[in-house]
Amino acid sequence: MSADRVTGADPADLYAVLKGFEGRPAAVAGVGKDPVNEPMIRHWCEAMGDTGAAYRGPGAIAPPTMLQAWTMGGLSGHTGRSQAYDELLALLDGAGYTSVVATDCEQEYERDLRPGDRITFDAVIESVSARKTTTLGTGYFVTTRTDVRAQGEPAGTHRFRILKYAPAARRGGDDRAKRPRPVVNRDNAGFWDGVAEHKLLIQRCAGCGTLRFPWLPGCGRCGAQEWDPVEVSGAGTVFSYVVMHRPVFPAFDPPYAVALIELAEGVRMVGNVVGVPYGEVRIGMPVRAEFVRVDGEWELPVFRPADGGRGGRG
Amino acid sequence: MKAGDELPALEIPVTRTLIVAGAVASRDYQDVHHDTEAARAKGAPDIFMNILTTNGLVGRYVTDHFGPAARLRAVRIRLGAPNYPGDTMVLTGTVTALGPDGTAEVRIVGANGLGHHVTGTVTVSVQEQDS
C-alpha cells in the first residue's frame, strides 16, 4: 500500500510490475567485444592520466577499474543483454522515464586482467527502487550485478545503479516557469491586499488586543472573531532559517535562504532573505521587509539585512 | 601507515577533453557525455563526466599514492554533484582501516564547485604479491 503512495502519479501497479523484475537476468552469456588488449589499456591510461607502472610494458595488467569497460557494447550496442532488462527499460521509457544516469558503481576484483584475456559475463537485476524525485527529475533506481569472467575464471563483480528518470523542466529563458501564486481566501485577503500596496498588515484582536500572524478568523487567545488590521514597521530579526538546495522546483533558483523573521511587533513571518549571500544569513541578523514584484504580476514580501548583512554575526 | 593517515589531495581540472576522452576510453557513447545539446535536452546544463571515468580517476588516485606494488581489490563509489566542464575536482582520501591480509581501506571524497561529486571506499592491497 505504501507503493501506491510512493509512485504518486504513476499507475498504481507500475511499481509492482517493476519490482517483479528483481532477480531476473539482465545479461546472459555476454561476451566482451574485444579481449583485454594493450591499445584499450593505453587509451584508458591516457584519458585518466594514469602512469601506473603496472599497466605498462611486459607483464602489464589492465587497470582493474576498466572492469566494466570490457563489457560495454559501444556504438554497436550490447550483446547478451536479456529480454527482461530490455523490457524493464522499455516499461520505464513508456512511462516517461526516458533518460538515464549512473549513480553508483561497486566493483570487486578477484583476478588480474591481462592482454589476451577473453571476457564473458552474466548480470542480474538486483533491485528496483520506489519512485524518487532528484535534481535531474523523477524516476526509478535500477541496480544490476554483473559477474565478469576472464578465460572462464571469475575475474570480478560489478554492481551498478542507474536512475531512469523523466527530465525536469529546463530552467531559464522565456519558457521559465512562473512561481506558485499565494492562495488568497476571505480569511487572509486583507494581508494580500496590504502587500499589493506595500504594507505589511497583521491582525489585532478587538477583544483582548493580542497581535497575531498569520491571518486567522478568530483570536487564539480569547476566541473573539472581531479584529483590526495593524501595519507593522517591517523591522525584525532572523529567528531561524534554512538554505534551500533541493529538490529544485521550477521558477526557483537554489540555493537560497528562507527565514522565520521575528518582527519588532512580536509576531513571526516566513520570507526569503535577499541582498546577502545565502551562506551569510545568521540567526539574530536584523532585517527589514521590502517588496518584490513576481512574474510581473503580483507582490511578495521579502527581507533584506538592515545593515548590509554585517549584524548578528560573530 | 596507519588508520587516520591522509593522502595528499589531487586536483583534477574537469575539461571537456577529459570528459569526452574518458567516455570514449570506457566505450560509453551515452550522448550526455559528449553532446551538449543532448545533455541540455535531458535536463543537465552541459555534458558531464561518466561514472566509469570517475571510477578510473579514483583508482588512479589511490594507486598513485601507494605505488607500483599496490593492487586495487575493490572500488565502491557513489556519485553526487556532476562534474561539468570548467570545474575542478579535488580528490582527498583517508586511510580508515588496515586489514590483516595486507590491505588498506581508503575513504575517498571528490569535491567540485557544486559539492561532492563522488564519495566512496577503495580497498587496495599494499604488499608485494606472488600472482
Side-chain angles (χ1 to χ4, degrees):
Chain A
M1 90 184 187
S2 64
D4 287 358
R5 249 196 338 267
V6 170
T7 52
D10 282 339
D13 57 352
L14 177 60
Y15 182 52
V17 173
L18 296 174
K19 288 294 273 187
F21 281 87
E22 291 183 351
R24 297 179 66 184
V28 178
V31 178
K33 294 211 163 176
D34 298 289
V36 177
N37 64 85
E38 287 177 31
M40 281 175 64
I41 294 172
R42 188 169 56 78
H43 297 164
W44 172 280
C45 288
E46 281 182 2
M48 303 303 158
D50 196 332
T51 56
Y55 313 139
R56 289 179 285 137
I61 64 167
T65 49
M66 284 188 78
L67 187 67
Q68 185 187 5
W70 304 115
T71 70
M72 293 291 279
L75 280 174
S76 54
H78 285 276
T79 56
R81 185 182 266 189
S82 76
Q83 196 179 339
Y85 195 64
D86 283 339
E87 277 175 25
L88 173 59
L89 296 187
L91 257 176
L92 288 166
D93 282 333
Y97 306 102
T98 52
S99 295
V100 64
V101 66
T103 60
D104 294 77
C105 175
E106 301 175 5
Q107 299 183 333
E108 290 170 32
Y109 314 113
E110 296 168 48
R111 172 194 187 280
D112 289 341
L113 296 181
R114 297 176 186 281
D117 281 341
R118 183 172 171 276
I119 299 296
T120 52
F121 56 94
D122 288 276
V124 64
I125 301 165
E126 271 198 340
S127 66
V128 183
S129 77
R131 200 174 78 139
K132 305 283 186 185
T133 296
T134 74
T135 309
L136 285 171
T138 298
Y140 294 84
F141 289 94
V142 178
T143 306
T144 55
R145 191 193 74 241
T146 305
D147 294 312
V148 182
R149 294 175 300 275
Q151 304 296 93
E153 303 168 12
T157 60
H158 166 65
R159 183 174 283 109
F160 203 62
R161 187 165 300 125
I162 61 168
L163 172 67
K164 273 291 277 179
Y165 68 99
R170 280 179 57 188
R171 288 187 287 147
D174 292 330
D175 56 351
R176 188 178 175 93
K178 290 185 175 180
R179 280 175 70 135
R181 304 176 70 92
V183 176
V184 180
N185 55 40
R186 65 180 176 182
D187 291 334
N188 69 8
F191 172 73
W192 290 106
D193 287 346
V195 168
E197 297 173 23
H198 289 193
K199 292 177 183 172
L200 219 44
L201 303 180
I202 65 173
Q203 290 168 294
R204 178 172 53 207
C205 176
C208 68
T210 301
L211 297 171
R212 66 174 186 260
F213 187 87
W215 282 46
L216 291 167
C219 177
R221 185 159 175 269
C222 74
Q225 296 192 12
E226 305 303 317
W227 50 268
D228 301 306
V230 175
E231 183 176 359
V232 298
S233 68
T237 55
V238 174
F239 183 80
S240 182
Y241 68 96
V242 295
V243 176
M244 185 71 188
H245 289 272
R246 61 179 69 189
V248 180
F249 297 107
F252 290 83
D253 197 14
Y256 53 90
V258 181
L260 181 63
I261 305 298
E262 184 156 274
L263 295 175
E265 291 77 8
V267 301
R268 293 176 189 158
M269 192 176 288
V270 173
N272 288 27
V273 180
V274 302
V276 61
Y278 62 85
E280 293 183 18
V281 175
R282 292 290 182 274
I283 288 171
M285 176 181 270
V287 294
R288 179 162 284 281
E290 63 181 42
F291 297 86
V292 294
R293 190 149 186 88
V294 179
D295 298 327
E297 295 172 16
W298 52 281
E299 301 287 328
L300 185 69
V302 297
F303 295 89
R304 181 182 293 273
D307 58 357
R310 297 289 95 83
R313 291 206 281 171
Chain B
M1 182 173 52
K2 60 185 186 306
D5 283 358
E6 292 187 359
L7 280 60
L10 175 65
E11 273 194 22
I12 307 270
V14 182
T15 62
R16 221 164 265 281
T17 304
L18 171 60
I19 292 168
V20 173
V24 173
S26 56
R27 295 184 51 70
D28 183 348
Y29 293 92
Q30 292 282 336
D31 53 19
V32 291
H33 305 309
H34 64 260
D35 182 336
T36 304
E37 284 307 309
R40 286 187 180 146
K42 291 178 178 171
D46 205 332
I47 63 168
F48 53 92
M49 184 178 286
N50 72 339
I51 195 167
L52 291 88
T53 300
T54 302
N55 205 42
L57 292 171
V58 166
R60 169 199 153 190
Y61 174 56
V62 171
T63 51
D64 273 1
H65 176 73
F66 287 100
R71 284 288 184 281
L72 297 174
R73 294 300 168 206
V75 176
R76 300 180 177 89
I77 60 168
R78 165 163 292 183
L79 296 194
N83 264 345
Y84 294 118
D87 208 338
T88 300
M89 176 171 69
V90 180
L91 284 164
T92 52
T94 307
V95 176
T96 52
L98 297 176
D101 52 349
T103 60
E105 203 157 276
V106 185
R107 178 78 189 155
I108 299 291
V109 174
N112 63 23
L114 298 173
H116 285 178
H117 166 66
V118 58
T119 53
T121 307
V122 175
T123 309
V124 58
S125 66
V126 291
Q127 289 176 352
E128 292 284 354
Q129 55 233 297
D130 310 324
S131 64

